Amino acid sequence: MTDSTPVGRVTVALENAGYQRIANGLQIGELKFQFPAAFVKAKNSAELILVVDIASESEPQLTRKVDGVARALDIASSTRSLTLVVTGPRPSAAALESLGRVCRVLPTGNISGDDGDEVLKNWLAVLLPLSLPQPESVAGNSLARIHAVAQTLDETTRKLIDVASQGEGAVSKELYSIIDAAAVQAKEKTI
């Protein structure tokens, strides 16, 4: 069964992106902090991510807790950056400004509904890895369209387009061949 709460949805998104949830609460030095969820990057712990639901605690309480974590990290001489993911209703401008002084704040907005996962990915994009299109599929689609259009072009250009799928070396070789043929023709005309 999956957790459909906002914090649960953020947790799933971060775990799928390679973040490791801190079990048994967050502890910095001798101080323990209670947050619905806290994460570090599994292979690189340079970032600490706290996840909260603003609907379950007041803005002043949340601000004090986050200030406490930031101070504890400073006292421990930690080099970790601190990110706060806020779910639920959007905090007030004053609370966002206060929190923004000590950490990066990512309010997620409304992530309920069928497109909630896509909306959440957009809000958390700065924390998630990039997903780029596969070069083969992009190249294959682009080359197919180019070949279709190339049928209306001259023979020399079609030759270059035909070898484009074979890579830069093949295109260079074909271009040299075209230039050599043009030079031979020009030489023959002058003789």
Side-chain angles (χ1 to χ4, degrees), residues 48-187:
L48 174 62
I49 301 170
L50 306 174
V51 182
V52 298
D53 188 350
I54 196 74
S56 66
E57 58 188 307
S58 68
E59 289 179 356
Q61 182 183 17
L62 175 61
T63 302
R64 281 193 301 276
K65 284 173 58 175
V66 173
D67 282 344
V69 170
R71 287 188 185 120
L73 289 171
D74 285 343
I75 290 170
S77 299
S78 176
T79 58
R80 289 184 180 169
S81 62
L82 182 59
T83 299
L84 178 68
V85 178
V86 181
T87 64
R90 187 170 180 83
S92 67
L96 286 173
E97 182 180 338
S98 179
L99 291 166
R101 289 185 187 132
V102 296
C103 66
R104 174 173 51 183
V105 183
L106 300 175
T108 60
N110 183 7
I111 57 173
S112 61
D114 294 338
D115 64 342
D117 290 335
E118 281 304 312
V119 171
L120 181 60
K121 285 180 185 179
N122 288 336
W123 283 106
L124 299 178
V126 70
L127 300 174
L128 304 177
L130 293 175
S131 58
L132 301 174
Q134 296 299 321
E136 299 83 30
S137 64
V138 171
N141 290 338
S142 297
L143 284 176
R145 284 183 290 189
I146 291 171
H147 280 292
V149 172
Q151 300 309 312
T152 62
L153 301 175
D154 64 277
E155 182 182 349
T156 305
T157 306
R158 280 197 312 265
K159 285 181 182 179
L160 285 174
I161 291 172
D162 288 342
V163 297
S165 62
Q166 298 171 19
E168 181 182 344
V171 172
S172 294
K173 186 176 178 180
E174 184 64 32
L175 185 59
Y176 290 138
S177 172
I178 291 168
I179 292 170
D180 286 344
V184 167
Q185 283 181 345
K187 191 174 185 181

Side-chain angles (χ1 to χ4, degrees), residues 10-51:
V10 170
T11 297
V12 168
L14 292 175
E15 287 174 340
N16 289 343
Y19 289 92
Q20 182 178 10
R21 189 170 187 169
I22 299 172
N24 303 325
L26 175 64
Q27 182 170 348
I28 303 171
E30 297 297 318
L31 299 173
K32 289 187 178 186
F33 300 93
Q34 290 300 317
F35 288 93
F39 295 88
V40 293
K41 191 70 170 174
K43 294 181 183 176
N44 175 3
S45 63
E47 183 163 25
L48 174 62
I49 301 170
L50 306 174
V51 182

